[in-house]
Coordinates of all heavy atoms in Angstrom, one line a residue:
M1 N 68.0 45.4 54.0 CA 67.8 46.5 53.0 C 66.3 46.6 52.7 O 65.7 45.6 52.3 CB 68.6 46.2 51.8 CG 68.5 47.3 50.7 SD 69.5 47.0 49.3 CE 70.8 48.1 49.6
G2 N 65.8 47.8 52.8 CA 64.4 48.1 52.5 C 64.1 48.2 51.0 O 65.0 48.4 50.2
N3 N 62.8 48.1 50.6 CA 62.4 48.3 49.3 C 62.4 49.8 48.9 O 62.0 50.6 49.7 CB 61.0 47.7 49.0 CG 61.1 46.2 49.1 OD1 62.1 45.6 48.9 ND2 59.9 45.6 49.5
H4 N 62.8 50.1 47.7 CA 62.8 51.5 47.3 C 62.0 51.6 46.0 O 62.2 50.8 45.0 CB 64.2 52.0 47.0 CG 65.0 52.0 48.3 ND1 64.8 53.0 49.2 CD2 66.0 51.3 48.7 CE1 65.7 52.8 50.2 NE2 66.5 51.7 49.9
A5 N 61.1 52.5 45.9 CA 60.3 52.8 44.6 C 61.1 53.6 43.7 O 61.8 54.6 44.1 CB 59.0 53.4 45.0
V6 N 61.1 53.3 42.4 CA 61.7 54.1 41.4 C 60.7 54.6 40.4 O 59.8 53.8 40.0 CB 62.8 53.3 40.7 CG1 63.4 54.1 39.6 CG2 63.9 52.8 41.6
T7 N 60.7 55.8 40.1 CA 59.7 56.4 39.1 C 60.5 56.8 37.9 O 61.5 57.4 37.9 CB 59.0 57.6 39.7 OG1 58.4 57.3 40.9 CG2 58.1 58.2 38.7
L8 N 60.0 56.3 36.8 CA 60.6 56.6 35.5 C 59.6 56.6 34.4 O 58.5 56.0 34.5 CB 61.8 55.6 35.2 CG 61.4 54.2 34.9 CD1 61.6 53.8 33.5 CD2 62.2 53.3 35.8
R9 N 59.9 57.3 33.4 CA 59.0 57.5 32.2 C 59.2 56.3 31.3 O 60.3 56.0 30.9 CB 59.2 58.8 31.5 CG 58.4 58.9 30.2 CD 58.6 60.3 29.6 NE 57.3 60.9 29.8 CZ 57.1 62.2 29.8 NH1 58.1 63.0 29.7 NH2 55.9 62.7 30.0
V10 N 58.1 55.6 30.9 CA 58.1 54.5 30.0 C 57.3 54.9 28.7 O 56.2 55.5 28.8 CB 57.5 53.3 30.6 CG1 57.4 52.1 29.6 CG2 58.3 52.8 31.8
T11 N 57.9 54.7 27.6 CA 57.3 55.1 26.3 C 56.7 53.8 25.7 O 57.5 52.9 25.3 CB 58.2 55.8 25.3 OG1 58.8 56.9 26.0 CG2 57.5 56.2 24.1
P12 N 55.4 53.6 25.7 CA 54.9 52.3 25.2 C 54.9 52.3 23.6 O 54.9 53.3 23.0 CB 53.4 52.3 25.7 CG 53.1 53.8 25.8 CD 54.4 54.5 26.2
F13 N 54.9 51.1 23.1 CA 54.9 50.9 21.7 C 53.4 50.5 21.3 O 52.9 49.5 21.8 CB 55.8 49.8 21.2 CG 55.7 49.5 19.8 CD1 56.3 50.4 18.8 CD2 55.0 48.4 19.3 CE1 56.2 50.1 17.5 CE2 54.9 48.1 18.0 CZ 55.5 49.0 17.1
L14 N 52.7 51.3 20.6 CA 51.4 51.1 20.2 C 51.3 51.1 18.7 O 51.8 51.9 18.0 CB 50.4 52.2 20.7 CG 50.4 52.4 22.2 CD1 49.6 53.7 22.5 CD2 49.8 51.2 22.9
R15 N 50.6 50.1 18.1 CA 50.3 50.1 16.7 C 49.0 50.8 16.4 O 47.9 50.3 16.8 CB 50.3 48.7 16.2 CG 51.6 48.0 16.0 CD 51.4 46.7 15.3 NE 52.6 45.9 15.5 CZ 53.6 45.9 14.6 NH1 53.5 46.6 13.5 NH2 54.7 45.2 14.9
I16 N 49.1 51.9 15.7 CA 47.9 52.6 15.3 C 48.0 52.9 13.8 O 49.0 53.5 13.4 CB 47.8 54.0 16.1 CG1 47.6 53.7 17.6 CG2 46.6 54.8 15.6 CD1 47.7 54.9 18.4
E17 N 47.1 52.4 13.1 CA 47.1 52.6 11.6 C 46.8 54.0 11.2 O 45.8 54.5 11.5 CB 46.2 51.6 10.9 CG 46.3 51.6 9.4 CD 45.5 50.5 8.8 OE1 45.5 49.4 9.2 OE2 44.8 50.9 7.8
C18 N 47.8 54.6 10.4 CA 47.6 55.9 9.9 C 47.8 55.8 8.4 O 48.6 55.0 7.9 CB 48.6 56.9 10.5 SG 48.5 57.0 12.3
K19 N 47.2 56.7 7.7 CA 47.4 56.8 6.2 C 48.1 58.1 5.8 O 47.8 59.2 6.4 CB 46.0 56.7 5.5 CG 45.4 55.4 5.8 CD 44.0 55.3 5.1 CE 43.4 53.9 5.5 NZ 42.0 53.9 5.0
F20 N 49.0 58.1 4.9 CA 49.7 59.2 4.4 C 49.6 59.3 2.9 O 49.7 58.3 2.3 CB 51.2 59.2 4.9 CG 51.4 59.2 6.4 CD1 51.4 58.0 7.1 CD2 51.6 60.4 7.0 CE1 51.6 58.1 8.5 CE2 51.7 60.4 8.4 CZ 51.7 59.3 9.1
W21 N 49.5 60.5 2.4 CA 49.4 60.6 0.9 C 50.0 62.0 0.5 O 49.9 63.0 1.2 CB 48.0 60.4 0.4 CG 47.0 61.4 0.8 CD1 46.6 62.5 0.2 CD2 46.3 61.4 2.1 NE1 45.7 63.2 0.9 CE2 45.5 62.5 2.1 CE3 46.2 60.5 3.2 CZ2 44.6 62.8 3.2 CZ3 45.4 60.8 4.2 CH2 44.6 61.9 4.2
L22 N 50.6 62.0 -0.7 CA 51.2 63.2 -1.2 C 50.2 64.0 -2.0 O 49.4 63.5 -2.8 CB 52.4 62.8 -2.1 CG 53.2 63.9 -2.7 CD1 53.9 64.7 -1.6 CD2 54.3 63.3 -3.7
T23 N 50.2 65.3 -1.8 CA 49.4 66.2 -2.5 C 50.2 67.3 -3.1 O 51.5 67.3 -2.9 CB 48.3 66.9 -1.6 OG1 49.0 67.7 -0.7 CG2 47.5 65.8 -0.9
N24 N 49.7 68.3 -3.8 CA 50.4 69.4 -4.4 C 51.0 70.3 -3.3 O 52.0 70.9 -3.5 CB 49.5 70.2 -5.2 CG 49.1 69.5 -6.5 OD1 49.8 68.6 -6.9 ND2 48.0 69.9 -7.1
D25 N 50.4 70.3 -2.1 CA 50.9 71.1 -1.0 C 51.8 70.4 0.0 O 52.2 71.0 1.0 CB 49.7 71.6 -0.2 CG 48.8 72.5 -1.0 OD1 49.3 73.2 -1.9 OD2 47.6 72.6 -0.7
G26 N 52.1 69.1 -0.2 CA 52.9 68.4 0.7 C 52.3 67.1 1.0 O 51.5 66.5 0.3
W27 N 52.6 66.6 2.2 CA 52.0 65.3 2.7 C 50.9 65.5 3.7 O 51.0 66.4 4.6 CB 53.1 64.5 3.4 CG 54.1 63.9 2.4 CD1 55.2 64.4 1.8 CD2 54.0 62.6 1.8 NE1 55.8 63.5 1.0 CE2 55.0 62.4 1.0 CE3 53.1 61.5 2.0 CZ2 55.2 61.2 0.2 CZ3 53.2 60.3 1.3 CH2 54.3 60.2 0.4
N28 N 49.8 64.7 3.5 CA 48.7 64.7 4.4 C 48.8 63.4 5.1 O 49.2 62.3 4.6 CB 47.4 64.8 3.7 CG 47.1 66.2 3.2 OD1 47.7 67.2 3.7 ND2 46.3 66.3 2.2
G29 N 48.2 63.3 6.4 CA 48.2 62.1 7.1 C 46.9 62.1 7.9 O 46.4 63.2 8.3
S30 N 46.3 60.9 8.1 CA 45.1 60.8 8.9 C 45.1 59.5 9.7 O 45.7 58.5 9.3 CB 43.8 60.9 8.1 OG 43.7 59.8 7.3
C31 N 44.4 59.5 10.7 CA 44.1 58.4 11.6 C 42.7 58.4 12.0 O 42.1 59.5 12.3 CB 45.0 58.5 12.8 SG 44.9 57.2 14.0
E32 N 42.0 57.2 11.9 CA 40.6 57.2 12.2 C 40.3 57.1 13.7 O 39.4 57.8 14.2 CB 40.0 56.0 11.6 CG 39.8 56.1 10.1 CD 39.0 55.0 9.4 OE1 38.1 54.4 10.1 OE2 39.4 54.6 8.3
H33 N 41.0 56.3 14.5 CA 40.8 56.2 15.9 C 42.1 56.3 16.7 O 42.9 55.4 16.6 CB 40.1 54.8 16.2 CG 38.8 54.6 15.5 ND1 37.7 55.3 15.8 CD2 38.5 53.8 14.4 CE1 36.7 54.9 15.0 NE2 37.2 54.0 14.1
P34 N 42.4 57.4 17.3 CA 41.6 58.6 17.4 C 41.6 59.4 16.1 O 42.5 59.3 15.4 CB 42.2 59.4 18.6 CG 43.6 59.0 18.6 CD 43.6 57.5 18.1
S35 N 40.6 60.2 16.0 CA 40.5 61.0 14.8 C 41.5 62.2 14.7 O 41.4 63.1 15.5 CB 39.0 61.6 14.7 OG 38.9 62.4 13.5
I36 N 42.5 62.1 13.8 CA 43.6 63.0 13.7 C 43.9 63.3 12.3 O 43.9 62.3 11.5 CB 44.8 62.6 14.5 CG1 44.5 62.4 16.0 CG2 46.0 63.5 14.3 CD1 45.7 61.8 16.8
A37 N 44.1 64.5 11.9 CA 44.6 64.8 10.5 C 45.8 65.8 10.6 O 45.7 66.7 11.5 CB 43.5 65.4 9.7
I38 N 46.8 65.6 9.8 CA 47.9 66.5 9.8 C 48.3 66.8 8.4 O 47.9 66.1 7.4 CB 49.1 65.9 10.6 CG1 49.6 64.5 10.0 CG2 48.8 65.7 12.0 CD1 50.6 64.6 9.0
Q39 N 49.2 67.9 8.2 CA 49.7 68.2 6.9 C 51.1 68.7 7.2 O 51.4 69.4 8.1 CB 48.9 69.3 6.2 CG 49.4 69.6 4.9 CD 48.5 70.6 4.2 OE1 47.8 71.4 4.8 NE2 48.7 70.7 2.8
A40 N 52.1 68.3 6.3 CA 53.5 68.7 6.4 C 54.1 68.7 5.1 O 53.6 68.2 4.1 CB 54.2 67.8 7.4
G41 N 55.3 69.3 5.0 CA 56.0 69.5 3.7 C 56.7 68.2 3.3 O 56.9 68.1 2.1
S42 N 57.1 67.4 4.2 CA 57.8 66.1 3.8 C 57.2 65.0 4.5 O 56.5 65.1 5.5 CB 59.3 66.2 4.2 OG 59.4 66.2 5.6
F43 N 57.4 63.8 4.0 CA 56.9 62.5 4.6 C 57.4 62.4 6.0 O 56.7 62.1 7.0 CB 57.2 61.3 3.8 CG 56.8 60.0 4.5 CD1 55.4 59.7 4.5 CD2 57.7 59.2 5.2 CE1 55.0 58.5 5.2 CE2 57.3 58.1 5.8 CZ 55.9 57.7 5.8
E44 N 58.7 62.6 6.2 CA 59.3 62.5 7.6 C 58.7 63.4 8.6 O 58.4 63.1 9.7 CB 60.8 62.7 7.5 CG 61.6 61.7 6.8 CD 61.5 61.8 5.2 OE1 61.1 62.8 4.7 OE2 61.9 60.8 4.5
H45 N 58.4 64.7 8.1 CA 57.8 65.7 9.0 C 56.4 65.3 9.3 O 55.9 65.4 10.4 CB 57.9 67.0 8.4 CG 57.5 68.1 9.3 ND1 56.8 69.2 8.9 CD2 57.7 68.3 10.7 CE1 56.6 70.0 9.9 NE2 57.1 69.5 11.0
A46 N 55.6 64.8 8.3 CA 54.3 64.3 8.5 C 54.2 63.2 9.5 O 53.3 63.2 10.4 CB 53.7 63.9 7.2
K47 N 55.1 62.2 9.4 CA 55.1 61.1 10.3 C 55.4 61.6 11.7 O 54.8 61.2 12.7 CB 56.2 60.1 9.9 CG 56.3 58.8 10.7 CD 57.3 57.9 10.2 CE 57.4 56.6 11.0 NZ 58.1 56.8 12.2
S48 N 56.4 62.5 11.9 CA 56.7 63.1 13.1 C 55.6 63.8 13.8 O 55.2 63.7 14.9 CB 57.9 64.0 13.0 OG 58.2 64.6 14.2
E49 N 54.9 64.6 13.0 CA 53.7 65.4 13.4 C 52.6 64.4 13.9 O 51.9 64.7 14.9 CB 53.2 66.3 12.3 CG 54.1 67.5 12.1 CD 54.2 68.4 13.3 OE1 53.2 68.8 13.9 OE2 55.3 68.8 13.6
M50 N 52.4 63.3 13.2 CA 51.4 62.4 13.5 C 51.8 61.7 14.9 O 50.9 61.5 15.7 CB 51.2 61.3 12.4 CG 50.1 60.3 12.7 SD 48.5 61.0 12.9 CE 48.1 61.2 11.1
E51 N 53.0 61.3 15.0 CA 53.5 60.7 16.3 C 53.2 61.7 17.5 O 52.7 61.3 18.5 CB 54.9 60.4 16.2 CG 55.2 59.2 15.3 CD 56.7 59.0 15.1 OE1 57.5 59.9 15.4 OE2 57.0 57.9 14.6
I52 N 53.5 63.0 17.3 CA 53.3 64.0 18.3 C 51.8 64.1 18.6 O 51.4 64.1 19.8 CB 53.9 65.3 17.9 CG1 55.5 65.2 17.9 CG2 53.5 66.4 18.9 CD1 56.2 66.3 17.3
A53 N 51.0 64.2 17.6 CA 49.5 64.4 17.7 C 49.0 63.2 18.5 O 48.1 63.3 19.4 CB 48.9 64.6 16.4
L54 N 49.4 62.0 18.1 CA 48.9 60.8 18.8 C 49.3 60.8 20.2 O 48.5 60.5 21.1 CB 49.4 59.5 18.1 CG 48.7 59.2 16.7 CD1 49.5 58.1 16.0 CD2 47.3 58.8 16.9
G55 N 50.6 61.1 20.5 CA 51.0 61.1 21.9 C 50.3 62.1 22.7 O 49.9 61.9 23.9
T56 N 50.0 63.3 22.2 CA 49.3 64.3 22.9 C 47.8 63.9 23.2 O 47.3 64.1 24.3 CB 49.2 65.6 22.0 OG1 50.6 66.1 21.8 CG2 48.4 66.7 22.7
Q57 N 47.2 63.2 22.2 CA 45.8 62.7 22.4 C 45.8 61.7 23.5 O 44.9 61.7 24.3 CB 45.3 62.2 21.0 CG 43.9 61.6 21.1 CD 42.8 62.7 21.3 OE1 43.1 63.8 21.0 NE2 41.7 62.2 21.8
I58 N 46.7 60.7 23.4 CA 46.7 59.7 24.4 C 47.0 60.2 25.8 O 46.3 59.8 26.8 CB 47.7 58.6 24.0 CG1 47.2 57.9 22.8 CG2 48.0 57.6 25.2 CD1 48.3 57.0 22.1
E59 N 48.0 61.2 25.9 CA 48.2 61.8 27.3 C 47.0 62.5 27.8 O 46.7 62.4 28.9 CB 49.4 62.7 27.1 CG 50.7 62.0 27.0 CD 51.9 63.0 26.8 OE1 51.6 64.2 26.6 OE2 53.0 62.5 26.8
S60 N 46.3 63.2 26.9 CA 45.1 63.9 27.3 C 44.0 62.9 27.8 O 43.4 63.2 28.8 CB 44.5 64.7 26.1 OG 43.3 65.3 26.4
L61 N 43.8 61.8 27.1 CA 42.9 60.8 27.5 C 43.2 60.2 28.9 O 42.4 60.0 29.7 CB 42.7 59.7 26.5 CG 42.1 60.1 25.2 CD1 42.3 59.0 24.1 CD2 40.6 60.4 25.4
L62 N 44.5 60.0 29.1 CA 45.0 59.4 30.4 C 44.7 60.4 31.5 O 44.3 60.1 32.6 CB 46.4 59.0 30.3 CG 46.7 57.8 29.4 CD1 48.2 57.6 29.3 CD2 46.0 56.5 30.0
R63 N 45.0 61.7 31.3 CA 44.8 62.8 32.3 C 43.3 62.9 32.6 O 42.9 63.0 33.8 CB 45.4 64.1 31.8 CG 46.8 64.2 32.1 CD 47.3 65.7 31.9 NE 46.9 66.2 30.6 CZ 47.6 66.1 29.5 NH1 48.8 65.5 29.5 NH2 47.2 66.7 28.3
E64 N 42.5 62.8 31.6 CA 41.0 62.9 31.8 C 40.5 61.7 32.6 O 39.7 61.9 33.5 CB 40.3 62.9 30.4 CG 38.8 63.0 30.5 CD 38.2 63.1 29.1 OE1 38.7 63.9 28.3 OE2 37.2 62.3 28.9
R65 N 41.0 60.6 32.3 CA 40.6 59.3 33.0 C 41.1 59.4 34.5 O 40.4 59.0 35.4 CB 41.2 58.1 32.4 CG 40.8 56.8 33.1 CD 41.4 55.6 32.3 NE 41.2 54.4 33.1 CZ 40.2 53.6 33.0 NH1 39.3 53.8 32.1 NH2 40.1 52.5 33.7
Q66 N 42.3 60.0 34.7 CA 42.8 60.1 36.1 C 42.0 61.1 36.9 O 41.6 60.8 38.0 CB 44.3 60.6 36.0 CG 44.9 60.6 37.4 CD 46.4 61.0 37.4 OE1 46.8 61.6 36.4 NE2 47.1 60.6 38.4
R67 N 41.6 62.2 36.3 CA 40.7 63.2 37.0 C 39.4 62.5 37.3 O 38.8 62.7 38.4 CB 40.5 64.4 36.1 CG 41.7 65.4 36.1 CD 41.3 66.7 35.5 NE 40.7 66.6 34.2 CZ 41.4 66.7 33.0 NH1 42.7 66.9 33.0 NH2 40.8 66.6 31.9
T68 N 38.8 61.8 36.4 CA 37.6 61.1 36.6 C 37.6 60.1 37.7 O 36.8 60.0 38.6 CB 37.0 60.4 35.3 OG1 36.9 61.4 34.3 CG2 35.7 59.8 35.5
S69 N 38.7 59.3 37.7 CA 38.8 58.3 38.8 C 39.1 58.9 40.2 O 38.8 58.2 41.2 CB 39.9 57.3 38.3 OG 41.2 57.9 38.4
T70 N 39.7 60.1 40.2 CA 39.9 60.7 41.5 C 38.8 61.6 42.0 O 38.9 62.3 43.0 CB 41.3 61.5 41.5 OG1 41.2 62.5 40.5 CG2 42.4 60.5 41.3
G71 N 37.7 61.7 41.2 CA 36.6 62.5 41.5 C 36.8 64.0 41.2 O 36.0 64.8 41.8
Q72 N 37.7 64.4 40.4 CA 37.9 65.8 40.1 C 37.3 66.3 38.8 O 37.4 67.4 38.4 CB 39.5 66.1 40.0 CG 40.2 65.8 41.3 CD 41.7 66.0 41.2 OE1 42.2 66.2 40.1 NE2 42.4 65.8 42.3
A73 N 36.5 65.4 38.2 CA 35.9 65.8 36.9 C 34.8 66.8 37.2 O 34.1 66.7 38.2 CB 35.4 64.6 36.2
A74 N 34.6 67.7 36.3 CA 33.5 68.7 36.5 C 32.2 68.1 36.1 O 32.0 67.3 35.2 CB 33.9 69.9 35.6

C-alpha cells in the first residue's frame, strides 16, 4: 500500500494578550502586537470580533510570507 497525502485545515491555538473595557458606547478591545482595535455592543461580540481580526491579520501575514518566499512579491 502506497503513502497518501491528506490535506486538512488546522486551527492553531495562540495566546495573544488583548485588553477589553466597557465604555458608554459598548465594549472596546485592543491588542498591541499585532496592532488591532475593535468596538462592539457586547463583550461576547467584542471577543468574537477580536478573534476574527487576529485571524485575518495572521492569514494575511502568512500569505505575504508565502508570496515573498516564492518570489512573487512586488
Side-chain angles (χ1 to χ4, degrees):
M1 178 179 255
N3 291 334
H4 298 286
V6 177
T7 302
L8 64 114
R9 175 174 250 157
V10 175
T11 304
F13 176 77
L14 301 171
R15 284 189 194 267
I16 299 175
E17 185 173 313
C18 302
K19 296 177 182 174
F20 296 89
W21 62 97
L22 184 59
T23 66
N24 291 337
D25 297 331
W27 283 87
N28 289 337
S30 70
C31 179
E32 286 187 34
H33 302 290
S35 180
I36 296 174
I38 58 91
Q39 183 178 18
S42 70
F43 175 76
E44 291 79 13
H45 190 217
K47 183 176 180 282
S48 176
E49 289 295 314
M50 183 61 78
E51 289 171 345
I52 291 168
L54 285 167
T56 301
Q57 178 70 21
I58 291 167
E59 287 174 353
S60 175
L61 291 171
L62 290 172
R63 279 193 303 273
E64 182 180 311
R65 181 178 170 97
Q66 185 177 23
R67 282 193 306 266
T68 302
S69 68
T70 59
Q72 297 176 357

